[in-house]
Amino acid sequence: MKPIIFSGMQATGVPSLGNYVGAVKNWVELQKDYSCLFCVVDMHSITIRHDPAEFRKKCRELLTLYIAMGLNPQEHIVYFQSHVPAHAELAWILNCFTYMGELSRMTQFKDKSKKNEDNINAGLFTYPVLQAADILLFNTKLVPIGDDQKQHLELCRDIAVRFNKIYGDIFVVPDAYIPPVGAKIKSLQEPTKKMSKSETANLNNVIHLLDPPDVIIKKFKRAVTDSLNKIEYNPEEQPGVSNLLTIYACATNQTMQQCLAEFANTTSYGNFKLKVGGAVVAMLEPLQKRYHELIADTAYIDEIIANNAERANQLAQTTLTKVKNAIGFMPKSQ
Ligand code: TYM
């Protein structure tokens, strides 16, 4: 049996280049060596308010995009979190093994509370516990994520170890997989900040995976650089240029050394930005084409949704039953 991978993404906005490079691109590659579950974490997404029809559409689009990006729903499991009630059941149990102090220290909770001052709901606070439940439900060994999810993964490990200390070896304690390059893609206009798919203030900050090629090129042309006129990897002094180099390395599957060698004689930032934009277009075009084909194939996607949820439900029951027994819940009579 192959070791297990679990990862997920929220259905808030069209995924960004950061989501792809920091997470999904690695999910695709890891599929050959692991048994994987890739989840659209729609229950996490409702910590922010949505229009129901729009939300449903976004969830379906994200699952379709997962497949277009290369996730394989036949060999692995691609599904909606809300279709597997065990996520919520285990999350409640784990809530009772997580401390308020721990949750108060989560930087994403602090950031999101600042951004949504009129809706700091309890779900936003216990969000990382549901994330821990997602992971621990499936005996996950590896969790491929971007840099911003590191703290949530550490909390998940702490909860698992704490639970195991009391009840014996119930949970597998998972490791994070954080890619060496691309774990934190920055905004194109403010390259000291993370590129975020939920960006609304300035769309030039973010490349959305379904942006048409001319839009992508335009956004790269406008990307902020500096006045140093040299192409070097130095995130402190040249955050914009370094971010573009990182994007180029990921889009062309090259090492940073190879990219630096390629641009050694380039003095114009204009040409450099065009090359990065072109490489991103080339990387995204095949998945965009596949997405537009798939989204039209309603029957095929419906069949995947039903069949994959069924398989995830079956797997989830094994751990959930073990947990319930360990805690001392009364078994159902036969
Ligand atoms: P989310 O939806 O914010 O992001 C999905 C994945 O994309 C990564 N990511 C980035 N990587 C590099 N550069 C960026 N600018 C960038 N922006 C986002 C994220 O690190 C993440 O890996 N809480 C999670 C979803 C989740 C989850 C889970 C993940 C719920 N349950 C269990 C792993 C395991 C989230 O909000 O990701």
Side-chain angles (χ1 to χ4, degrees), residues 13-300:
V14 181
S16 73
L17 182 62
N19 294 131
Y20 184 60
V21 163
V24 185
K25 195 164 176 276
N26 308 307
W27 303 356
V28 173
E29 282 159 21
L30 291 163
Q31 284 182 120
K32 52 181 184 317
D33 298 322
Y34 290 82
S35 217
C36 307
L37 294 113
F38 300 118
C39 188
V40 172
V41 292
D42 50 358
M43 285 169 18
H44 278 105
S45 310
I46 64 164
T47 48
I48 311 279
R49 299 272 175 270
H50 298 282
D51 168 73
E54 185 58 26
F55 180 48
R56 193 171 295 125
K57 185 166 167 272
K58 279 205 184 120
C59 288
R60 190 180 178 91
E61 287 171 354
L62 180 55
L63 187 125
T64 308
L65 196 52
Y66 271 9
I67 299 163
M69 287 189 278
L71 302 183
N72 182 335
Q74 272 79 38
E75 278 183 35
H76 303 278
I77 301 184
V78 180
Y79 72 106
F80 293 111
Q81 187 184 33
S82 64
H83 288 185
V84 178
H87 285 269
E89 282 188 75
L90 184 59
W92 171 255
I93 294 170
L94 297 183
N95 265 321
C96 304
F97 293 84
T98 309
Y99 298 111
M100 302 285 281
E102 288 176 312
L103 294 175
S104 310
R105 285 194 289 277
M106 294 292 117
T107 54
Q108 288 220 332
F109 171 66
K110 292 187 214 167
D111 290 349
K112 286 185 184 170
S113 302
K114 259 190 226 145
K115 281 192 197 143
N116 302 285
E117 272 179 340
D118 53 346
N119 185 21
I120 307 177
N121 58 67
L124 206 56
F125 189 61
T126 59
Y127 179 113
V129 185
L130 178 58
Q131 181 159 349
D134 298 342
I135 296 166
L136 299 180
L137 201 48
F138 297 102
N139 300 325
T140 304
K141 189 62 208 138
L142 199 67
V143 187
I145 41 176
D147 204 56
D148 63 343
Q149 294 301 316
K150 233 159 74 184
Q151 196 187 26
H152 286 168
L153 205 272
E154 272 156 25
L155 177 64
C156 169
R157 288 171 55 90
D158 289 346
I159 297 171
V161 169
R162 182 173 305 146
F163 195 94
N164 284 352
K165 264 201 188 133
I166 307 173
Y167 298 107
D169 276 344
I170 304 290
F171 294 127
V172 172
V173 181
D175 294 316
Y177 172 89
I178 302 195
V181 182
K184 193 167 190 182
I185 298 296
K186 307 286 173 54
S187 148
L188 295 185
Q189 296 292 313
E190 295 174 85
T192 50
K193 293 192 184 150
K194 183 184 92 164
M195 181 184 282
S196 164
K197 65 173 162 335
S198 37
E199 167 77 50
T200 48
N202 181 358
L203 290 182
N204 284 323
N205 273 328
V206 48
I207 301 292
H208 288 116
L209 295 185
L210 297 175
D211 279 348
D214 59 322
V215 173
I216 295 177
I217 297 290
K218 220 183 275 166
K219 287 183 181 177
F220 275 105
K221 273 189 187 163
R222 290 182 184 154
V224 164
T225 47
D226 50 54
S227 53
L228 298 174
N229 277 326
K230 53 179 186 180
I231 298 176
E232 283 177 12
Y233 184 76
N234 183 342
E236 295 289 308
E237 270 182 36
Q238 297 191 264
V241 169
S242 303
N243 188 40
L244 292 172
L245 276 169
T246 302
I247 293 173
Y248 191 73
C250 295
T252 56
N253 290 317
Q254 295 189 91
T255 62
M256 189 53 76
Q257 261 75 19
Q258 288 171 315
C259 298
L260 288 169
E262 192 177 331
F263 292 116
N265 299 319
T266 309
T267 46
S268 145
Y269 281 166
N271 289 344
F272 170 53
K273 291 197 272 188
L274 272 181
K275 271 210 105 171
V276 180
V280 170
V281 167
M283 173 174 71
L284 298 184
E285 257 182 340
L287 74 86
Q288 293 187 349
K289 186 169 169 280
R290 179 105 182 97
Y291 171 81
H292 293 299
E293 287 161 8
L294 282 170
I295 198 80
D297 196 344
T298 319
Y300 174 68

